[in-house]
Amino acid sequence: MPRIAEDRPAAEPQSPGQKARHERILCVAARLGAERGLEHVQMHDVAKEAGVAIATLYRYFPSKTHLFTAIMASQVERMSEGSPRVDAAGDPVDAVAETLLRSTRHMLHTPRLAGAMMQSNFAAHAATVTEAAGIEAKVHHTVLGLLGLTEPTDRDNRLIRLLMKSWHGLLVSAINGHSSMSETETEIRLACEVLLGARSNAPG
């Protein structure tokens, strides 16, 4: 399990040059994570291959927890891109299921990186790893949008949080080889049907 090296928030890149270095670090770390898994990625290797000083790396990412949580955040940021449009005759629950399944397939394409991101996100503390809270909020917002819940009730929000916990558990099971992709897809769809069928704007 990765640990948070310092109890401080990461610095945010400001200038175009800083943003380019930040993105380069994330790309290199994602590649190394996909090749080696979390435990075998060394921060000095990331800095060397990204062409940055180790002090620069630690300024943006005080630990591997920060680093791989940031990679997950960058992937989640793109979750809503390409989400199926829900027309009047469409089923919004199907749209949520397809969005989660697309993200699942993408993550399982690189299982070592997926494991690194999930481990880091579970270890992250929202007070010091700002991306951790952002990941949950982004996924929650995406699901609300697909469901057309502009004024969600407390129950709606709880149902979505339960869905996210179910999805995370199914992802971990698949990453660890305990469930096949077929089983994972079936259970993600079932979780969406059961939990989101109880939402406040569900038909009937």
Side-chain angles (χ1 to χ4, degrees), residues 10-30:
E12 289 292 332
Q14 302 296 329
S15 70
Q18 290 174 341
K19 291 177 180 178
R21 284 191 292 275
H22 189 274
E23 185 63 28
R24 194 161 66 245
I25 290 167
L26 291 178
C27 289
V28 167

Side-chain angles (χ1 to χ4, degrees), residues 71-145:
I71 295 170
M72 188 170 183
S74 69
Q75 294 198 6
V76 167
E77 187 64 31
R78 296 189 289 271
M79 173 178 277
S80 60
E81 296 176 8
S83 291
R85 292 184 177 275
V86 185
D87 57 33
D91 186 347
V93 174
D94 283 344
V96 173
E98 287 302 323
T99 298
L100 296 182
L101 286 170
R102 189 179 66 251
S103 296
T104 299
R105 296 183 193 109
H106 177 74
M107 291 183 73
L108 293 181
H109 184 67
T110 52
R112 289 180 177 174
L113 175 59
M117 292 189 295
M118 296 297 289
Q119 275 185 268
S120 297
N121 190 49
F122 289 151
H125 191 291
T128 54
V129 186
T130 55
E131 290 86 358
I135 288 169
E136 181 177 351
K138 179 63 178 179
V139 177
H140 198 102
H141 178 76
T142 297
V143 174
L144 285 175

Side-chain angles (χ1 to χ4, degrees), residues 6-12 58-62 66 127-130:
E6 296 184 35
D7 188 21
R8 65 173 179 82
E12 289 292 332
Y58 277 114
R59 184 163 67 251
Y60 295 134
F61 308 102
H66 291 79
T128 54
V129 186
T130 55

Side-chain angles (χ1 to χ4, degrees), residues 26-42:
L26 291 178
C27 289
V28 167
R31 176 174 57 78
L32 292 178
E35 293 172 359
R36 305 177 185 179
L38 183 63
E39 298 303 324
H40 298 289
V41 172
Q42 301 297 322

